[in-house]
Amino acid sequence: MKSDKIKKISTVVALIIFLFPAVLIVMTSCTLREKSDNEVLMIDVDQGVDFYKRILIRLIQDDIAINENGRKHHFSDEVSVYYKEMLSDSKFFVVDINGDKKLDIGIMFPTNVLLTYYYDEDTDTLSPALDSHIYTEILGNGQVMMASSSASSSATFYEVIDISGEPITTISFFKDYMGDVIIPNETKKPYFEYSINVEMRLPDGPDKLNTTSNRTDVTKEQWEMMKKPFDDLRENAPKSFNYEELMAIKSSPDITIISKYQNVNCIDSETYSKIERAYNKLNFNVSFNTGNIEEYSLYKKQFCRLLKNEVMFTEKETGEEFYLNEYGYFSIDVDLGRYDLNNYTYYVYDINGDESPELCISDNSRFTYVISYDIKSDLFTLWQRYETPYIYLLGTKKIGYSGNAKDAFFMLDEDGEYDCFIWFKTEGYRDLETQKDSCIFMVSLPQYVDQYNQEELTEHMREQAVYDENQDLYYFRVTEKQYNRLTRDYFKMVKSAKKAIKKVDFTYEKLSGNDVFE
């Protein structure tokens, strides 16, 4: 009886594994047959591929908002300058991501980071589509593929998703290295174990959803046979196009680049004079102080203990303790099998103004973490974390921001919180009368946390300003000459900081050496 039950369960699992690829392929084939060579989907002719290419252009030019859980922001708020510079080498998609018979858009960066968006015609906004951002491929029509690997194993995940992007069915193919075996001729050969897991979402009443999951060990031949149909799906996935092909649509005569500020007038001389006085009070000096030079090497050795996971640090907001490889993006790199201290850049200088150096760790693309060390208590604390890599270091108590045609300068307090900040940006548009490209220049009044230092925003100034509800900030349109005058000292500071920071940046090898100034 027990044997029959086991046999029955094995048969069911086998049927699920064998039959589901066939069902999926049939569904895909039917969908593909509905398409013509010139149509990715049966969609409104007025909103074809070219329309969505223009949405992509608007996205990367910050001309369309991204609505994420009620918070509106722009592309430059989501990606760093590092990623913006990679757009020319990126892949772009216009495809039905979730199977709702509407086109969506996606960008795959050379680093295998994928960003995908749905377009809402009613609000003319975008919203993020897939939660997965790394090593994910779009197969189209509600199908995606993800992959991960390490030194000893690999996994490929094929998902069928619903219109919300949530998985309905996930088929996972695992290949795990178990060690070496000695074959008859006494040579070593790597030994792998193969398995397949099928996870299906099942309805459970009107408001609940359950999943059923079955994992089965298979032979290499069975694994390859079952995986092949899904690899074929990948081969036949919607084709991407490059940056040049995307921007070629920009020259189409029916596209007009507009700016929400183009009908805003430049401010009068009275308002400009007040803004200029406020900018002149800001400190744009650059200083990467190393603190007490006699203790500098000691701090370096202590930070190396942290990097080697010999000691933990405390996250001040929660009080939780972590080893470095357990925290944030470090733990993600561990999971992806690419955690390597040689992959990060290290800066050792006094960032918080306490006359002692702190350790700043960055991968130059996703994050910068700042960790302080108390020599008296022998404790490490996460002073601040910036998981938006367009933030960069400008010296003691100063950081900057640089996105697409948008910049900001932040002065910090001893805890790393904002003490004062300014924002300024430029935006291009096509003049409808002259049909020539023009540029708009916008600046904010310096904003102080301590209202005692805050310049008063008079009613006269408010009437000339544009309120940005996402930032809770007023912007003022200025002339190009005024913009250059206001931002001149800031950009000089940025240029100086790029040179000065080289004196305190280290590779892991250099940081862990005997002489920090080698």
Side-chain angles (χ1 to χ4, degrees):
M1 192 75 181
K2 184 176 180 182
S3 176
D4 290 340
K5 186 175 181 181
I6 294 174
K7 190 174 182 180
K8 184 177 180 181
I9 293 174
S10 300
T11 302
V12 172
V13 172
L15 283 172
I16 292 174
I17 294 174
F18 275 95
L19 291 179
F20 188 80
V23 173
L24 188 58
I25 292 169
V26 170
M27 292 172 62
T28 305
S29 299
C30 292
T31 306
L32 289 173
R33 282 196 296 270
E34 293 176 356
K35 305 174 189 177
S36 69
D37 293 337
N38 297 321
E39 289 181 313
V40 178
L41 285 173
M42 296 177 63
I43 58 171
D44 188 338
V45 175
D46 293 333
Q47 293 195 356
V49 175
D50 285 354
F51 175 84
Y52 285 89
K53 283 185 176 180
R54 290 168 183 155
I55 296 296
L56 266 168
I57 293 173
R58 291 178 61 196
L59 170 69
I60 64 179
Q61 292 183 342
D62 285 346
D63 190 39
I64 187 170
I66 302 167
N67 191 341
E68 186 171 6
N69 298 322
R71 183 183 71 89
K72 289 185 179 180
H73 59 281
H74 289 87
F75 187 66
S76 292
D77 301 317
E78 188 164 328
V79 302
S80 66
V81 175
Y82 173 76
Y83 275 92
K84 295 285 292 208
E85 292 174 349
M86 290 194 291
L87 282 172
S88 59
D89 297 317
S90 298
K91 298 177 182 179
F92 300 86
F93 298 87
V94 173
V95 61
D96 176 12
I97 294 175
N98 60 358
D100 64 353
K101 297 193 181 299
K102 295 180 181 178
L103 288 177
D104 311 298
I105 60 175
I107 305 173
M108 174 69 80
F109 293 95
T111 55
N112 290 310
V113 171
L114 173 68
L115 297 179
T116 53
Y117 303 93
Y118 303 136
Y119 174 66
D120 187 330
E121 183 180 2
D122 293 334
T123 60
D124 190 35
T125 59
L126 296 170
S127 60
L130 302 176
D131 289 334
S132 302
H133 299 299
I134 302 176
Y135 297 103
T136 300
E137 295 185 30
I138 303 170
L139 302 183
N141 302 302
Q143 301 163 79
V144 296
M145 187 203 81
M146 292 166 284
S148 65
S149 63
S150 66
S152 60
S153 64
S154 66
T156 304
F157 309 92
Y158 293 88
E159 285 190 348
V160 176
I161 60 176
D162 61 20
I163 60 173
S164 300
E166 298 298 324
I168 300 172
T169 303
T170 304
I171 301 179
S172 309
F173 293 86
F174 299 98
K175 178 181 178 181
D176 298 305
Y177 173 69
M178 306 305 293
D180 293 331
V181 295
I182 299 178
I183 57 179
N185 61 5
E186 297 185 353
T187 59
K188 288 184 178 181
K189 183 179 179 181
Y191 173 70
F192 294 92
E193 287 190 352
Y194 299 85
S195 61
I196 301 174
N197 186 73
V198 178
E199 184 171 338
M200 302 180 70
R201 192 176 75 188
L202 301 175
D204 183 20
D207 302 318
K208 296 181 180 179
L209 291 173
N210 268 339
T211 59
T212 178
S213 180
N214 294 283
R215 182 163 177 167
T216 302
D217 294 327
V218 295
T219 65
K220 178 183 179 182
E221 291 74 18
Q222 291 170 333
W223 187 84
E224 291 176 341
M225 179 186 68
M226 297 175 193
K227 189 170 180 288
K228 185 179 184 305
F230 297 93
D231 290 338
D232 291 341
L233 282 178
R234 184 185 181 191
E235 289 296 320
N236 295 314
K239 302 303 180 184
S240 63
F241 46 92
N242 61 33
Y243 183 78
E244 290 183 358
E245 292 170 323
L246 171 66
M247 299 309 290
I249 196 68
K250 186 177 178 181
S251 60
S252 176
D254 61 342
I255 183 169
T256 301
I257 303 173
I258 62 173
S259 168
K260 60 184 177 182
Y261 302 119
Q262 68 188 69
N263 294 322
V264 176
N265 294 323
C266 291
I267 57 177
D268 60 26
S269 58
E270 179 186 343
T271 298
Y272 173 75
S273 296
K274 188 164 187 177
I275 295 174
E276 185 177 36
R277 286 196 301 271
Y279 273 61
N280 289 338
K281 294 178 182 178
L282 299 176
N283 180 359
F284 292 108
N285 295 326
V286 174
S287 177
F288 286 91
N289 294 327
T290 56
N292 188 327
I293 195 65
E294 296 179 357
E295 296 180 344
Y296 198 68
S297 294
L298 171 62
Y299 275 86
K300 180 201 71 167
K301 291 178 181 178
Q302 295 301 321
F303 288 135
C304 284
R305 292 171 57 208
L306 180 77
L307 298 177
K308 295 175 182 177
N309 293 308
E310 295 176 0
V311 292
M312 305 178 81
F313 69 88
T314 302
E315 187 181 51
K316 61 183 179 181
E317 291 87 356
T318 64
E320 293 185 63
E321 293 185 323
F322 299 88
Y323 286 107
L324 195 69
N325 63 357
E326 298 174 336
Y327 189 77
Y329 278 101
F330 296 120
S331 66
I332 294 175
D333 287 349
V334 170
D335 292 340
L336 294 175
R338 61 188 189 194
Y339 177 74
D340 185 342
L341 293 174
N342 293 299
N343 291 339
Y344 310 118
T345 303
Y346 306 89
Y347 306 94
V348 183
Y349 72 97
D350 177 18
I351 190 173
N352 64 0
D354 66 351
E355 301 299 326
S356 299
E358 284 72 47
L359 173 66
C360 307
I361 313 172
S362 176
D363 72 340
N364 302 309
S365 64
R366 297 169 297 167
F367 67 86
T368 298
Y369 296 134
V370 184
I371 299 175
S372 63
Y373 173 65
D374 188 322
I375 198 170
K376 295 180 180 179
S377 62
D378 193 31
L379 295 176
F380 298 84
T381 303
L382 182 69
W383 183 74
Q384 196 55 264
R385 67 178 186 182
Y386 304 109
E387 292 182 339
T388 52
Y390 36 75
I391 293 290
Y392 52 93
L393 306 172
L394 291 177
T396 301
K397 290 187 175 182
K398 295 173 184 175
I399 59 173
Y401 167 105
S402 183
N404 182 35
K406 186 188 297 183
D407 292 87
F409 171 47
F410 301 90
M411 293 190 291
L412 311 174
D413 62 18
E414 61 275 7
D415 296 317
E417 303 299 330
Y418 298 154
D419 187 34
C420 176
F421 57 88
I422 53 173
W423 285 86
F424 35 93
K425 55 187 177 181
T426 60
E427 198 168 284
Y429 73 101
R430 176 66 57 85
D431 189 301
L432 297 179
E433 293 183 3
T434 65
Q435 288 300 304
K436 293 182 179 180
D437 292 334
S438 299
C439 198
I440 290 170
F441 303 88
M442 307 293 291
V443 301
S444 76
L445 195 66
Q447 299 294 302
Y448 288 87
V449 175
D450 181 357
Q451 292 299 313
Y452 177 79
N453 296 316
Q454 184 63 47
E455 288 283 346
E456 181 186 0
L457 185 65
T458 65
E459 187 61 32
H460 177 69
M461 296 176 69
R462 201 185 302 270
E463 290 172 353
Q464 300 175 71
V466 178
Y467 178 66
D468 188 318
E469 62 180 10
N470 298 318
Q471 293 183 283
D472 188 23
L473 196 63
Y474 285 93
Y475 279 96
F476 301 87
R477 184 176 178 180
V478 295
T479 66
E480 181 177 5
K481 184 176 181 180
Q482 291 170 335
Y483 179 87
N484 290 336
R485 193 182 303 156
L486 291 171
T487 61
R488 177 182 54 207
D489 291 340
Y490 169 75
F491 285 115
K492 282 184 179 179
M493 176 181 66
V494 171
K495 187 176 181 179
S496 298
K498 288 180 178 179
K499 294 181 180 179
I501 199 172
K502 293 179 180 179
K503 297 180 180 179
V504 294
D505 77 330
F506 306 97
T507 61
Y508 176 68
E509 181 180 7
K510 187 176 180 182
L511 182 63
S512 58
N514 293 325
D515 187 350
V516 77
F517 293 105
E518 289 180 348

